[in-house]
Each structure stands twice: as structure tokens, then as C-alpha cells.
Amino acid sequence: MAEKPSEEPRPESAVPPDDAWEQFLRDSEAGVPASAPKEPSARARMVTERLRALDEAHAAAAGRKGRRFGRSRPVAPARPEGWRTGPAWREMDGRASRRRTVWSVVGVLTAAALAVVAVNPSAALSWLPGGLGGGGADASGASASRVDASGVEASGVEASPLAPETARPSGAPGEAEGIPTRERPFTGSPAARWEAGADAIRLPRAKAVNGVPAARIEEALRGTKEFLAAANLDPAVLKGGEPVKALALVDPLEADYLADLRAAVRRPTEDNDPVSAFTRFDPEKVDMVGHVRVRGRMTVAPDTAAEGRALITADYTFVYGVARVGGDETTRVIVRRVLQVDAADPSRYQGTEGRLWIRDLASEIGNDDCREGDGLINPSFFSDLLSASPQAGGTRDPYDRSTSVSREDECGVVSRT
């Protein structure tokens, strides 16, 4: 929670007020220069500068609620080397309480899409309306699709899941073969071996940190997990519903941010889009298929700015299987959220019991377009790439958790979905 401003009395201003100068000028004309305001001493200037710096520090602590978010679109399978496809992202600065990064794929040239068909026609055509490459089964065959949506190899043998993430990875995961279908939406994705659902959000052991009791740390950890699950896994929210549970977890004392979140959900705008915090799709356009895959970690560290405060950081990537309503085309959306929550000693700082004080929420969304303000994630499918224009901007791997969330203000392209 933000610290209360210092109540230490201030020295007189280092700059004489206007009325003092006016009096000095009048006295000077009358030959009474003794009333001239005196320049403050070096000590007074030093104290004034110190208090100004403290004010700035308090203001910065109270305003550290930057929210960043990103969006993107899908890439085609079996693409030639160097072919830029798929999802893009961009970060957009909004109000002080909401900053976000958006990745959006605006598409690929028709010639490039045709090149994919030439390289792997069965895989590419299976993305088209009607599933021309082979219907519900993997068009690439068992040899290309090693693991299905449940983490089961094509041979029927269960694939070993990845061990839980305990530290930042050293690099991006390797490429996976195959293309997604309704039955196997995570085929061709590193997420095929990820855990599913809220169970993948593991809590570190709670212990006292920087003067914050272990019980308070544990409460904040549990609340952080509940917020992530309510914002990114709740079926009603995924279908475009209001994130009632997530909103109820935010401390009402964080009034401005909470008001922004509620306004974003009810009246989305370009500067205040709810997908910066909540994963929401249009149920009239896409079906959710398979169980959401989750990977990440949660850490606790002392807040070096003040005694009696700790900072919880939750860095998680959520991968969603989505299919076009009324069709077989299937793709994925990758959402990375980095949530920072303050945990404070209740004997020193004010806060509402059982609620979260959110300091920062940074997000990247892979496979969404660059449109802002509709309040929903809008994934692209392979057939969309045939008529879309190329997207300018940098390329990024949405599965690469070895890097920090980007702060760039641009629309770019993700290398895969």
C-alpha cells in the first residue's frame, strides 16, 4: 500500500512569494531597502530540496500502477524460412493507471500463403473452412503430431509433462510439429506438455519477508492466484462475461484503478480496454476448445523502498485453444500476464482484509489484431491470412518466457501460435 505522506513540517519556501517582492519594490522606491526578502540559507535550501525529493518518491510510489498489454494473430504451418506471418503485438500507453502491450497479426501476402500450400498442402488446407485437409484428425499424421490436447502422444502413450517452472528459462522452447484441430488444439505447440487450469499456478512457501508476517504473505499469495484464475480461466469471463470474482478481489481503497477496470468492462474504449487485465472472447465468433494450458511461477521479494512491505510477482502464460464458430478451423491465443501485488504489514499500512493491492499488471497477447476498444480478443485463422495485408513491426515468439514483457509501442508479428 502507498505510504502516508510525511507529516514533518516544511521550512519556508526557498522562493519568496510575489507579495513579498511587491512590498520590497514599494519599500525600495520609498528608500526602505531593509524590508527586502532574504535569500534562504544553504541549509534551508538543502532541507527544501530533500522534502521535494521525498514528495516525488511518495508520488511515484502512489502512482506505480502501470498496466501494459499486448495482442496478436496466428501463423501458418510449414512456413518457408524467413516468412513473416501471424501474430503481432504492440504496447500502448494510456492513463497512468493503465498501460498495455498489444500484439496483432494483420496477415501475410497471398503469395506467401500460397508458398505454404506448396510446401505442405495437406497441413495448410486443413486450416481452410470445411477442413479440406482431412476433417477433425491431424492432417499432418501421427508422425508429425506427437502430442495431443491432453498431452498424449499419437501412439497413445502419455507424454511426460514438463516439470514446474522455478526460475526464468534460459531460452524459448523448441519448435513442435503439427497443426491444431478442434480435437487436438495444442498440437504443434509447446503448451501440449504444459499443465492445465488453476492447478498449474503453484504458490511458494509463505514466510515472513521484510517485516511482513508469514500469514499476510500467504493471504496475498492465495489472493494473487485467485485473481489470475478469475481473470484468465473463468469460463464465463472467457465467453465475454463480466469478471465479477476478479473485480471483487481488488482492494476498494485502490479506487481509481478499480473504477477504471469496471468502466473498461462496461464501456470499453481504446485507452481503457478490459483485455489488458481480463481474457475475453466473443462467443459468437469463436468456440473455446480444450483445457487452458498454463505455465509460469510466483515469487516474493522484499520491497526495498520501505520496511514492512513485500512484492509478489506472478509471471504466467496462458494458452487457449479456439475454433471458428460453425467451422473446423482451429488456432491458439497466447496471453502472458505479469502481475505485481503489494503485501504489507497491517500494523503499519492501511488496507482491506482479504483484498489485493495491485501495483502493476503487464500483459502481452499473441494472436489478436491491433484493434483497440472492443473489449475482446479477436484471433485470426489461417484463411484470414490469405486476404490480409502484411504487418509491419518486429517479430516475437509468444512462448519465449526467457525475456521480460516488452514495453515497445508498436504492432509487430509473433512467429508462431
Side-chain angles (χ1 to χ4, degrees), residues 56 60 76 85 99 192 208-209 235 291 307 379 400:
E56 290 180 354
T85 77
R99 294 187 343 192
V209 176
H291 299 292
E307 181 72 17
D400 188 355

Side-chain angles (χ1 to χ4, degrees), residues 41-355:
S41 67
R43 177 174 176 77
R45 290 196 301 271
M46 181 180 67
V47 173
T48 300
E49 177 62 22
R50 174 174 168 273
L51 290 174
R52 183 191 63 77
L54 284 173
D55 279 348
E56 290 180 354
H58 287 313
R64 277 183 299 184
K65 303 187 189 72
R67 276 82 180 172
R68 288 159 278 274
F69 119 90
R71 322 173 82 146
S72 90
R73 276 181 162 178
V75 296
R79 55 195 179 279
E81 184 177 356
W83 179 42
R84 281 192 34 194
T85 77
W89 84 293
R90 115 181 160 147
E91 174 172 6
M92 189 179 87
D93 288 333
R95 325 177 181 188
S97 64
R98 181 174 301 275
R99 294 187 343 192
R100 57 195 182 182
T101 301
V102 180
W103 284 95
S104 171
V105 159
V106 181
V108 185
L109 290 173
T110 302
L114 293 177
V116 175
V117 176
V119 173
N120 193 340
S122 62
L125 292 176
S126 69
W127 286 54
L128 297 177
L132 300 179
D138 266 348
S140 54
S143 62
S145 177
R146 296 178 177 274
V147 182
D148 72 7
S150 301
V152 177
E153 294 181 351
S155 62
V157 178
E158 184 174 353
S160 59
L162 293 178
E165 184 177 287
T166 57
R168 174 173 287 189
S170 59
E175 293 288 340
E177 296 179 329
I179 59 172
T181 66
R182 276 184 174 266
E183 291 75 17
R184 297 179 175 182
F186 300 104
T187 293
S189 163
R193 294 183 61 196
W194 292 8
E195 295 177 288
D199 289 343
I201 305 176
R202 289 183 168 81
L203 305 183
R205 184 173 66 87
K207 60 182 179 179
V209 176
N210 197 32
V212 184
R216 178 69 187 97
I217 295 291
E218 183 174 8
E219 179 186 34
L221 286 170
R222 292 185 182 279
T224 301
K225 175 176 179 175
E226 290 176 17
F227 182 88
L228 287 171
N232 301 284
L233 299 174
D234 187 325
V237 177
L238 295 180
K239 294 180 181 179
E242 184 173 355
V244 177
K245 296 178 183 177
L247 290 170
L249 289 167
V250 180
D251 195 319
L253 295 177
E254 205 172 6
D256 290 344
Y257 180 48
L258 189 55
D260 275 352
L261 290 177
R262 287 174 173 156
V265 172
R266 293 165 187 172
R267 294 177 299 280
T269 66
E270 182 175 343
D271 291 335
N272 195 20
D273 195 321
V275 295
S276 63
F278 311 116
T279 305
R280 305 166 79 229
F281 298 90
D282 186 346
E284 295 185 359
K285 295 181 179 180
V286 299
D287 293 328
M288 306 302 300
V289 292
H291 299 292
V292 182
R293 298 305 174 90
V294 184
R295 187 159 182 80
R297 63 193 181 280
M298 198 180 304
T299 59
V300 184
D303 186 336
T304 56
E307 181 72 17
R309 288 202 318 222
L311 181 63
I312 294 172
T313 300
D315 182 348
Y316 285 88
T317 298
F318 302 85
V319 183
Y320 305 87
V322 294
R324 194 190 294 276
V325 167
D328 291 328
E329 278 192 280
T330 305
T331 187
R332 289 176 291 263
V333 170
I334 304 96
V335 178
R336 185 179 176 186
R337 309 277 192 198
V338 180
L339 174 65
Q340 291 187 327
V341 171
D342 277 323
D345 180 357
S347 67
R348 306 188 199 189
Y349 299 95
Q350 185 179 8
T352 305
E353 185 177 357
R355 304 297 181 88

